[in-house]
Amino acid sequence: MDKHPSAEVTMTARCLDGECTWETQPTTEPASATVACESHTADTGHDVFTVALEYVALVTRTGGTE
């Protein structure tokens, strides 16, 4: 399974500090999400995030029997 050749990668990030609910909007520009996380860290001191990358996948069968 690989990323579909025409698919874009979408990134989201969410702060994991206690009760903080800060998160990025989904974006196809991971650099902008990274900058947003850096800004959140600078503003709050929160420095742990969960990051999700999402894309359309293509499964290709090779060999084997049906």
Side-chain angles (χ1 to χ4, degrees):
M1 181 165 51
D2 293 300
K3 184 175 83 62
H4 190 281
S6 64
E8 293 184 322
V9 176
T10 301
M11 177 182 170
T12 55
R14 182 172 52 90
C15 181
L16 293 179
D17 191 276
E19 300 297 316
C20 186
T21 59
W22 182 91
E23 63 185 311
T24 64
Q25 293 296 313
T27 181
T28 57
E29 297 179 18
S32 68
T34 299
V35 169
C37 290
E38 291 169 344
S39 294
H40 181 70
T41 298
D43 292 343
T44 64
H46 302 170
D47 60 358
V48 179
F49 300 85
T50 182
V51 175
L53 301 175
E54 185 174 41
Y55 56 87
V56 173
L58 177 64
V59 175
T60 305
R61 291 185 55 156
T62 57
T65 59
E66 305 214 14

